Amino acid sequence: MKHTRMRYTVLMDRDADGSYTVTVPSLKGCISQGDNWDEALKNIEEAIAGYSETLRILKKPVPCLHQRR
């Protein structure tokens, strides 16, 4: 199976306690958080992968902005 690497814009908001909440505008409901910037990015990458895999299982189209082959 051929894999295509997708790139998404993410929005990172710093919370009052110093942690980060991250959303992916093009993937409705895809949200994660982390105690710091690096953890938040790692967590949203995992969330995007899970979101995309679920869409593939359901045979739904995976929204994309940028594709890298």
Side-chain angles (χ1 to χ4, degrees):
M1 181 175 176
K2 185 177 180 180
H3 293 280
T4 301
R5 185 155 177 92
M6 309 294 272
R7 299 182 81 190
Y8 293 96
T9 298
V10 299
L11 302 177
M12 297 186 69
D13 293 311
R14 190 165 191 181
D15 300 325
D17 66 358
S19 64
Y20 290 87
T21 299
V22 190
T23 57
V24 185
S26 59
L27 301 178
K28 186 176 179 175
C30 188
I31 187 169
S32 191
Q33 67 85 37
D35 291 335
N36 57 55
W37 184 275
D38 292 332
E39 182 179 280
L41 279 178
K42 178 181 163 281
N43 291 344
I44 199 64
E45 287 174 358
E46 292 174 4
I48 291 168
Y51 190 106
S52 300
E53 182 61 21
T54 299
L55 290 177
R56 283 198 249 332
I57 289 168
L58 296 174
K59 299 189 184 319
K60 305 258 183 184
V62 179
C64 63
L65 293 179
H66 311 286
Q67 292 185 7
R68 213 187 322 178
R69 293 182 192 252

Coordinates of all heavy atoms in Angstrom, one line a residue:
M1 N 0.8 -1.2 0.0 CA 0.0 0.0 0.0 C 0.9 1.2 0.0 O 1.8 1.4 0.8 CB -0.9 0.0 1.2 CG -1.8 1.1 1.3 SD -2.9 0.8 2.8 CE -3.8 2.3 2.8
K2 N 0.6 2.2 -0.9 CA 1.4 3.4 -1.0 C 0.9 4.4 0.1 O -0.3 4.6 0.3 CB 1.1 4.0 -2.4 CG 2.0 5.2 -2.6 CD 1.7 5.7 -4.0 CE 2.5 6.9 -4.3 NZ 2.3 7.4 -5.7
H3 N 1.9 5.0 0.8 CA 1.6 5.9 1.8 C 1.9 7.3 1.3 O 2.9 7.6 0.7 CB 2.4 5.7 3.1 CG 2.1 4.4 3.8 ND1 1.0 4.3 4.6 CD2 2.6 3.2 3.7 CE1 0.9 3.1 5.0 NE2 1.9 2.4 4.5
T4 N 1.0 8.3 1.6 CA 1.2 9.7 1.3 C 1.3 10.4 2.6 O 0.5 10.3 3.5 CB 0.0 10.2 0.4 OG1 -0.2 9.4 -0.7 CG2 0.1 11.6 0.1
R5 N 2.3 11.3 2.7 CA 2.4 12.1 3.9 C 1.7 13.3 3.7 O 1.8 14.1 2.7 CB 3.9 12.4 4.1 CG 4.2 13.1 5.4 CD 5.6 12.8 5.8 NE 6.0 13.5 6.9 CZ 5.9 13.1 8.2 NH1 5.4 11.8 8.3 NH2 6.2 13.8 9.2
M6 N 0.8 13.6 4.7 CA -0.1 14.8 4.7 C 0.5 15.9 5.6 O 1.1 15.5 6.7 CB -1.5 14.4 5.1 CG -2.1 13.3 4.4 SD -2.3 13.6 2.6 CE -3.9 14.3 2.7
R7 N 0.3 17.1 5.3 CA 0.7 18.2 6.2 C -0.6 19.0 6.5 O -1.3 19.4 5.6 CB 1.7 19.1 5.5 CG 3.0 18.3 5.1 CD 4.0 19.2 4.5 NE 4.6 20.0 5.6 CZ 5.4 21.0 5.4 NH1 5.7 21.4 4.2 NH2 6.0 21.6 6.4
Y8 N -0.7 19.4 7.7 CA -1.9 20.1 8.2 C -1.4 21.3 9.0 O -0.4 21.3 9.7 CB -2.8 19.3 9.1 CG -3.5 18.1 8.3 CD1 -3.0 16.9 8.4 CD2 -4.6 18.4 7.6 CE1 -3.6 15.8 7.7 CE2 -5.3 17.3 6.9 CZ -4.7 16.1 7.0 OH -5.3 15.1 6.3
T9 N -2.2 22.4 8.9 CA -2.0 23.6 9.7 C -2.6 23.3 11.1 O -3.7 22.8 11.1 CB -2.7 24.8 9.1 OG1 -2.1 25.1 7.8 CG2 -2.6 26.0 10.0
V10 N -1.9 23.6 12.1 CA -2.4 23.4 13.5 C -2.4 24.7 14.2 O -1.6 25.6 13.9 CB -1.6 22.3 14.3 CG1 -1.7 21.0 13.6 CG2 -0.2 22.7 14.5
L11 N -3.3 24.9 15.1 CA -3.4 26.1 15.9 C -3.1 25.7 17.3 O -3.7 24.8 17.9 CB -4.8 26.7 15.9 CG -5.3 27.1 14.5 CD1 -6.7 27.7 14.5 CD2 -4.4 28.1 13.8
M12 N -2.0 26.4 17.9 CA -1.6 26.1 19.3 C -1.9 27.3 20.2 O -1.5 28.4 19.9 CB -0.1 25.8 19.3 CG 0.2 24.5 18.5 SD 1.9 24.0 18.6 CE 2.0 23.4 20.3
D13 N -2.7 27.0 21.2 CA -3.1 28.0 22.2 C -2.5 27.7 23.5 O -2.6 26.6 24.0 CB -4.6 28.1 22.3 CG -5.3 28.6 21.0 OD1 -4.8 29.6 20.5 OD2 -6.2 28.0 20.6
R14 N -1.8 28.7 24.1 CA -1.2 28.5 25.4 C -2.3 28.7 26.4 O -2.9 29.8 26.4 CB 0.0 29.4 25.6 CG 0.7 29.0 26.9 CD 2.1 29.7 26.9 NE 2.8 29.1 28.0 CZ 4.0 29.4 28.3 NH1 4.6 30.3 27.6 NH2 4.6 28.8 29.3
D15 N -2.5 27.7 27.3 CA -3.4 27.8 28.4 C -2.9 28.6 29.6 O -1.7 28.8 29.7 CB -3.9 26.4 28.8 CG -4.5 25.7 27.6 OD1 -5.2 26.3 26.8 OD2 -4.4 24.4 27.5
A16 N -3.7 29.0 30.5 CA -3.3 29.8 31.7 C -2.3 29.0 32.5 O -1.4 29.6 33.1 CB -4.5 30.1 32.5
D17 N -2.4 27.7 32.5 CA -1.4 26.9 33.3 C -0.1 26.6 32.6 O 0.8 25.9 33.1 CB -2.1 25.6 33.8 CG -2.4 24.7 32.7 OD1 -2.1 25.0 31.5 OD2 -2.9 23.6 32.9
G18 N 0.1 27.2 31.4 CA 1.3 27.0 30.6 C 1.3 25.8 29.7 O 2.2 25.6 28.9
S19 N 0.2 25.0 29.7 CA 0.1 23.9 28.8 C -0.4 24.4 27.5 O -0.8 25.6 27.4 CB -0.8 22.8 29.4 OG -2.1 23.3 29.5
Y20 N -0.5 23.5 26.5 CA -1.0 23.9 25.1 C -2.2 23.1 24.7 O -2.2 21.9 24.9 CB 0.1 23.8 24.1 CG 1.2 24.8 24.3 CD1 2.3 24.6 25.1 CD2 1.1 26.1 23.6 CE1 3.3 25.5 25.3 CE2 2.1 27.0 23.8 CZ 3.2 26.7 24.6 OH 4.2 27.7 24.8
T21 N -3.2 23.7 24.1 CA -4.3 23.0 23.4 C -4.0 23.2 21.9 O -3.7 24.4 21.5 CB -5.6 23.6 23.8 OG1 -5.8 23.5 25.2 CG2 -6.8 23.0 23.1
V22 N -4.2 22.1 21.2 CA -3.9 22.2 19.7 C -5.1 21.7 18.9 O -5.7 20.7 19.3 CB -2.7 21.3 19.4 CG1 -2.2 21.5 17.9 CG2 -1.5 21.5 20.3
T23 N -5.5 22.4 17.9 CA -6.6 22.0 17.0 C -6.1 22.0 15.6 O -5.1 22.6 15.2 CB -7.8 23.0 17.2 OG1 -7.3 24.3 16.8 CG2 -8.4 23.0 18.6
V24 N -6.8 21.2 14.8 CA -6.5 21.1 13.3 C -7.8 21.6 12.6 O -8.8 20.9 12.5 CB -6.2 19.7 12.9 CG1 -5.8 19.6 11.4 CG2 -5.1 19.1 13.8
P25 N -7.8 22.9 12.1 CA -9.0 23.5 11.6 C -9.6 22.6 10.4 O -10.8 22.6 10.3 CB -8.5 24.8 11.0 CG -7.4 25.2 11.9 CD -6.7 23.8 12.2
S26 N -8.8 22.0 9.6 CA -9.3 21.2 8.5 C -9.8 19.8 8.9 O -10.5 19.1 8.1 CB -8.3 21.1 7.4 OG -7.2 20.5 7.9
L27 N -9.6 19.4 10.1 CA -10.1 18.1 10.6 C -11.1 18.4 11.8 O -10.6 18.5 13.0 CB -9.0 17.2 11.0 CG -7.9 16.9 10.0 CD1 -6.8 16.0 10.6 CD2 -8.6 16.2 8.8
K28 N -12.3 18.6 11.5 CA -13.3 19.0 12.5 C -13.3 18.1 13.7 O -13.4 16.8 13.6 CB -14.7 19.0 11.9 CG -15.7 19.5 12.8 CD -17.1 19.6 12.2 CE -18.1 20.1 13.1 NZ -19.4 20.3 12.5
G29 N -13.0 18.7 14.9 CA -13.0 17.9 16.1 C -11.7 17.3 16.5 O -11.6 16.6 17.5
C30 N -10.7 17.4 15.7 CA -9.4 16.9 16.0 C -8.7 17.9 16.9 O -8.3 19.0 16.5 CB -8.6 16.7 14.7 SG -7.0 15.8 14.9
I31 N -8.5 17.5 18.1 CA -7.9 18.3 19.2 C -7.1 17.5 20.1 O -7.3 16.3 20.3 CB -9.1 19.1 19.9 CG1 -8.5 20.1 20.9 CG2 -10.0 18.1 20.6 CD1 -9.6 21.0 21.5
S32 N -6.0 18.1 20.6 CA -5.2 17.5 21.6 C -4.6 18.5 22.5 O -4.9 19.7 22.4 CB -4.1 16.7 20.9 OG -3.4 15.8 21.8
Q33 N -3.7 18.1 23.4 CA -3.1 19.0 24.3 C -1.7 18.4 24.8 O -1.4 17.3 24.5 CB -4.0 19.4 25.5 CG -4.2 18.2 26.4 CD -3.1 18.0 27.5 OE1 -2.6 19.0 28.0 NE2 -2.8 16.8 27.8
G34 N -0.9 19.3 25.4 CA 0.3 18.8 25.9 C 0.8 19.8 27.0 O 0.4 21.0 27.0
D35 N 1.6 19.3 27.9 CA 2.1 20.1 29.0 C 3.1 21.2 28.5 O 3.4 22.2 29.1 CB 2.8 19.2 30.1 CG 1.8 18.4 30.8 OD1 0.6 18.8 30.9 OD2 2.2 17.3 31.4
N36 N 3.8 20.9 27.3 CA 4.7 21.9 26.7 C 4.5 21.8 25.2 O 3.8 21.0 24.7 CB 6.1 21.6 27.2 CG 6.6 20.2 26.8 OD1 6.5 19.8 25.7 ND2 7.0 19.4 27.8
W37 N 5.2 22.7 24.5 CA 5.1 22.8 23.0 C 5.4 21.5 22.3 O 4.7 21.0 21.5 CB 6.1 23.9 22.6 CG 6.0 24.2 21.1 CD1 6.7 23.6 20.1 CD2 5.2 25.3 20.5 NE1 6.4 24.2 18.9 CE2 5.5 25.2 19.1 CE3 4.4 26.2 21.0 CZ2 4.9 26.1 18.2 CZ3 3.8 27.1 20.1 CH2 4.0 27.0 18.7
D38 N 6.5 20.9 22.7 CA 7.0 19.6 22.0 C 6.0 18.5 22.3 O 5.6 17.7 21.3 CB 8.4 19.2 22.5 CG 9.4 20.2 22.0 OD1 9.2 20.8 20.9 OD2 10.5 20.3 22.6
E39 N 5.5 18.4 23.5 CA 4.5 17.3 23.8 C 3.2 17.5 23.1 O 2.6 16.6 22.6 CB 4.3 17.3 25.3 CG 3.3 16.2 25.7 CD 3.1 16.1 27.2 OE1 4.0 15.6 27.9 OE2 2.1 16.7 27.7
A40 N 2.8 18.8 23.0 CA 1.6 19.1 22.3 C 1.7 18.8 20.8 O 0.7 18.2 20.2 CB 1.2 20.6 22.5
L41 N 2.8 19.1 20.2 CA 3.0 18.7 18.8 C 3.0 17.2 18.6 O 2.4 16.7 17.6 CB 4.3 19.3 18.2 CG 4.3 20.7 17.8 CD1 5.6 21.2 17.4 CD2 3.2 21.0 16.7
K42 N 3.7 16.5 19.4 CA 3.7 15.0 19.4 C 2.3 14.4 19.5 O 1.9 13.6 18.7 CB 4.6 14.4 20.5 CG 4.7 12.9 20.5 CD 5.6 12.5 21.6 CE 5.4 11.0 22.0 NZ 4.2 10.8 22.8
N43 N 1.6 15.0 20.5 CA 0.2 14.5 20.7 C -0.7 14.8 19.5 O -1.6 13.9 19.2 CB -0.3 15.1 22.0 CG 0.4 14.5 23.2 OD1 1.1 13.5 23.2 ND2 0.2 15.2 24.3
I44 N -0.6 15.9 18.9 CA -1.5 16.2 17.8 C -1.1 15.4 16.6 O -2.0 15.0 15.8 CB -1.6 17.8 17.5 CG1 -2.8 18.1 16.7 CG2 -0.3 18.2 16.7 CD1 -4.1 17.8 17.4
E45 N 0.1 15.1 16.4 CA 0.5 14.2 15.3 C -0.2 12.8 15.5 O -0.7 12.2 14.5 CB 2.0 14.0 15.3 CG 2.7 15.2 14.7 CD 4.3 15.1 14.8 OE1 4.8 14.1 15.3 OE2 4.9 16.0 14.4
E46 N -0.2 12.3 16.7 CA -0.9 11.0 17.0 C -2.4 11.2 16.8 O -3.0 10.3 16.2 CB -0.6 10.6 18.4 CG 0.9 10.2 18.6 CD 1.2 9.9 20.1 OE1 0.3 9.9 21.0 OE2 2.4 9.6 20.4
A47 N -3.0 12.3 17.2 CA -4.4 12.5 17.0 C -4.8 12.6 15.5 O -5.8 12.0 15.1 CB -4.8 13.8 17.7
I48 N -3.9 13.3 14.7 CA -4.2 13.3 13.3 C -4.1 11.9 12.6 O -4.9 11.6 11.8 CB -3.2 14.3 12.6 CG1 -3.4 15.7 13.0 CG2 -3.2 14.1 11.1 CD1 -2.3 16.7 12.6
A49 N -3.1 11.2 13.0 CA -3.0 9.8 12.5 C -4.2 9.0 12.8 O -4.7 8.2 12.0 CB -1.7 9.1 13.1
G50 N -4.7 9.1 14.1 CA -5.9 8.3 14.5 C -7.1 8.8 13.8 O -7.9 8.0 13.3
Y51 N -7.2 10.1 13.6 CA -8.4 10.6 12.9 C -8.4 10.2 11.4 O -9.4 9.7 10.9 CB -8.2 12.2 12.9 CG -9.4 13.0 12.5 CD1 -10.3 13.6 13.4 CD2 -9.7 13.1 11.1 CE1 -11.3 14.4 13.0 CE2 -10.8 13.9 10.7 CZ -11.6 14.5 11.6 OH -12.7 15.3 11.2
S52 N -7.2 10.2 10.8 CA -7.1 9.8 9.4 C -7.4 8.3 9.2 O -8.1 7.9 8.3 CB -5.7 10.2 8.8 OG -5.5 11.5 8.9
E53 N -6.8 7.5 10.1 CA -7.0 6.1 10.0 C -8.5 5.7 10.2 O -9.1 4.9 9.5 CB -6.2 5.4 11.1 CG -6.3 3.9 11.1 CD -5.8 3.2 9.8 OE1 -5.1 3.9 9.0 OE2 -6.3 2.1 9.5
T54 N -9.2 6.4 11.1 CA -10.6 6.2 11.3 C -11.4 6.5 10.1 O -12.3 5.7 9.6 CB -11.2 7.0 12.5 OG1 -10.5 6.6 13.7 CG2 -12.7 6.8 12.7
L55 N -11.1 7.6 9.4 CA -11.8 8.0 8.1 C -11.5 6.9 7.1 O -12.4 6.5 6.3 CB -11.3 9.3 7.6 CG -11.8 10.5 8.4 CD1 -11.2 11.8 7.9 CD2 -13.3 10.6 8.5
R56 N -10.3 6.4 7.0 CA -10.0 5.4 6.0 C -10.8 4.1 6.3 O -11.3 3.5 5.4 CB -8.5 5.0 6.0 CG -7.6 6.1 5.3 CD -6.3 5.5 4.9 NE -5.1 6.0 5.5 CZ -4.8 7.2 6.1 NH1 -5.7 8.1 6.2 NH2 -3.6 7.4 6.5
I57 N -10.9 3.7 7.6 CA -11.6 2.5 7.9 C -13.1 2.7 7.5 O -13.7 1.7 7.1 CB -11.5 2.2 9.4 CG1 -10.1 1.7 9.7 CG2 -12.5 1.2 9.9 CD1 -9.7 1.7 11.2
L58 N -13.6 3.9 7.7 CA -15.0 4.2 7.4 C -15.2 4.5 5.9 O -16.3 4.7 5.5 CB -15.5 5.4 8.2 CG -15.5 5.1 9.7 CD1 -15.9 6.4 10.5 CD2 -16.5 4.0 10.1
K59 N -14.1 4.4 5.2 CA -14.1 4.6 3.7 C -14.7 6.0 3.4 O -15.4 6.3 2.4 CB -14.9 3.6 3.0 CG -14.3 2.2 3.1 CD -15.0 1.2 2.3 CE -14.5 -0.2 2.5 NZ -13.1 -0.5 2.7
K60 N -14.2 7.0 4.2 CA -14.6 8.4 4.0 C -13.3 9.1 3.5 O -12.2 8.7 3.8 CB -15.0 9.0 5.4 CG -16.1 8.3 6.1 CD -17.4 9.1 5.9 CE -18.5 8.4 6.7 NZ -19.7 9.0 6.4
P61 N -13.5 10.2 2.8 CA -12.3 11.0 2.3 C -11.6 11.6 3.4 O -12.2 12.1 4.4 CB -12.9 12.0 1.3 CG -14.4 12.1 1.7 CD -14.8 10.8 2.3
V62 N -10.3 11.7 3.3 CA -9.4 12.3 4.3 C -9.1 13.7 3.7 O -8.5 13.9 2.7 CB -8.1 11.6 4.5 CG1 -7.2 12.3 5.5 CG2 -8.4 10.1 5.0
P63 N -9.6 14.8 4.4 CA -9.3 16.1 4.0 C -7.8 16.4 3.9 O -7.1 15.9 4.8 CB -10.0 17.0 5.1 CG -11.0 16.1 5.8 CD -10.4 14.8 5.7
C64 N -7.4 17.1 3.0 CA -6.0 17.4 2.9 C -5.7 18.8 2.4 O -6.5 19.4 1.7 CB -5.2 16.5 1.9 SG -5.8 16.6 0.2
L65 N -4.6 19.4 2.9 CA -4.2 20.7 2.4 C -3.0 20.6 1.6 O -3.0 21.1 0.4 CB -3.9 21.6 3.6 CG -5.0 22.0 4.6 CD1 -4.5 22.8 5.7 CD2 -6.1 22.7 3.8
H66 N -2.0 19.9 2.1 CA -0.7 19.8 1.3 C -0.4 18.3 1.3 O -0.5 17.6 2.3 CB 0.4 20.6 2.0 CG 0.0 22.0 2.4 ND1 -0.1 22.9 1.5 CD2 -0.4 22.5 3.6 CE1 -0.5 24.1 2.1 NE2 -0.6 23.8 3.3
Q67 N 0.1 17.8 0.2 CA 0.6 16.4 0.1 C 2.0 16.4 -0.2 O 2.5 17.2 -1.0 CB -0.2 15.6 -0.9 CG -1.6 15.4 -0.6 CD -2.3 14.5 -1.6 OE1 -1.7 14.0 -2.5 NE2 -3.6 14.4 -1.5
R68 N 2.8 15.5 0.4 CA 4.2 15.3 0.1 C 4.3 13.8 -0.2 O 3.9 13.0 0.6 CB 5.0 15.7 1.3 CG 6.3 16.2 0.9 CD 7.2 16.4 2.1 NE 6.6 16.9 3.3 CZ 7.3 17.1 4.4 NH1 8.6 16.9 4.4 NH2 6.7 17.6 5.5
R69 N 4.9 13.5 -1.3 CA 5.1 12.1 -1.7 C 6.5 11.7 -1.5 O 7.4 12.3 -1.6 CB 4.7 11.8 -3.1 CG 3.2 12.1 -3.3 CD 2.8 11.8 -4.7 NE 1.5 12.3 -4.9 CZ 0.4 11.5 -5.1 NH1 0.5 10.2 -5.0 NH2 -0.8 12.0 -5.3

